[in-house]
Amino acid sequence: MPASPSSGDFAASREAASSSRDFAASPSTRTSVIAALRAAGCVFAEDEADLLLDAARTADELAALVDRRVAGLPLELVVGWAEFRGLRVTVEPGVFVPRRRTEFLVEQALAQAPGARVVVDLCCGSGAVGAALADALGPVELHAADIDPAAVRCARRNLAAAGGRVYTGDLFDALPGTLRGRVDILAANVPYVPTGEVGLLPAEARDHEPLTALDGGADGLDIARRVAAEAPRWLAPGGCLLTETSERQAPAAVEAFTRAGLTARLAVCEERYAQVVIGVA
């Protein structure tokens, strides 16, 4: 997203604001913010302006937030949180921002295992999926893991209230062995963008999110296959593995689940362009 000339106009106008309450309540300030965002290409400029105004405590802070957004930083990283299934999930620079379509994965997990007691959020990123599952299920034994230390730090903040334990490491290697054969829900929001297509992603993802959270190998299914192959050793009887994929990859992903010995099916939400593969032990 290119810088906008309007951002300079807004920065100048902030001098008229004497306090956070004054500028937050000023219609002219909101109008200036909207103009800066719209000129920078933000489709939902009005909604974003309200979030930035709410996040800022001073006029200078508001100007800094607007400048960061105009420069192309994802809105969630600018304000420091993302909404996910009604929760405010903390996100930090260098951590994958949870997508609203991934709420469909959570919904499918809850429908498949409404009485789950042991939950694992693999490739957890910010921990949004684990947090949403724990919020819906009530008290659970919650574990999460990610290979990226920045994601682990962020997930620990988001899962602390649910008593979640978060580990650093490569997939199942990060988990305690005592979980083998006990997991009711294994949610694995694995990276699934083919390596050759990472460069085609929107700049907000390509430039500001970790490659390890995006790149799924030559056909995008390298990590999904690894997870599916090992999942049966970790799932409880009747436990389920869920992962997100693309429409094009879905048949091969279902095949990988089946080859691993899971009873596999595909769930689709056309409204959110979401494809979730579900495998039951």
Side-chain angles (χ1 to χ4, degrees):
M1 183 185 302
S4 161
S6 295
S7 64
D9 296 339
F10 165 69
S13 73
R14 75 176 187 261
E15 296 177 2
S18 60
S19 71
S20 61
R21 294 304 174 194
D22 290 340
F23 81 78
S26 167
S28 62
T29 298
R30 181 176 184 272
T31 299
S32 297
V33 173
I34 292 171
L37 296 175
R38 186 175 291 128
C42 297
V43 177
F44 303 104
E46 290 83 359
D47 293 338
E48 292 196 14
D50 290 337
L51 288 170
L52 295 176
L53 285 161
D54 185 63
R57 294 166 295 184
T58 67
D60 286 340
E61 187 171 293
L62 176 61
L65 294 177
V66 172
D67 287 345
R68 292 174 71 198
R69 180 59 181 139
V70 164
L73 195 69
L75 176 67
E76 294 86 356
L77 296 180
V78 174
V79 298
W81 60 274
E83 183 181 348
F84 190 80
R85 271 187 63 88
L87 301 177
R88 183 174 286 202
V89 177
T90 296
V91 291
E92 301 171 0
V95 176
F96 183 78
V97 175
R99 308 310 199 241
R100 297 297 290 272
R101 67 171 176 270
T102 306
E103 294 177 352
F104 183 61
L105 185 152
V106 174
E107 293 163 10
Q108 291 300 305
L110 295 172
Q112 181 66 44
R117 300 267 59 91
V118 180
V119 174
V120 171
D121 183 359
L122 206 59
C123 301
C124 67
S126 65
V129 170
L133 287 170
D135 181 67
L137 290 167
V140 293
E141 182 181 340
L142 176 61
H143 301 263
D146 201 285
I147 198 169
D148 187 343
V152 169
R153 289 193 300 270
C154 190
R156 282 178 176 154
R157 293 179 62 186
N158 287 316
L159 299 182
R165 283 163 278 185
V166 189
Y167 315 94
T168 308
D170 185 19
L171 300 178
F172 295 98
D173 290 346
L175 300 177
T178 53
L179 283 174
R180 287 191 180 92
R182 298 181 52 236
V183 179
D184 299 312
I185 293 176
L186 174 55
N189 193 22
V190 301
Y192 60 89
V193 179
T195 301
E197 297 179 17
V198 171
L200 304 178
L201 290 172
E204 288 190 3
R206 185 182 67 242
D207 297 341
H208 298 285
E209 294 185 319
L211 185 62
T212 54
L214 302 171
D215 190 343
D219 68 349
L221 293 175
D222 284 1
I223 310 302
R225 290 191 185 94
R226 289 178 57 198
V227 171
E230 197 169 344
R233 292 190 284 274
W234 296 82
L235 292 173
C240 58
L241 165 66
L242 304 97
T243 189
E244 197 174 278
T245 189
S246 71
E247 181 178 5
R248 183 182 62 190
Q249 297 162 324
V254 169
E255 181 184 353
F257 276 45
T258 302
R259 193 181 306 119
L262 300 170
T263 301
R265 64 181 177 88
L266 178 68
V268 178
C269 177
E270 295 183 358
E271 180 183 357
R272 285 174 281 189
Y273 305 101
Q275 315 270 331
V276 173
V277 183
I278 304 162
V280 180

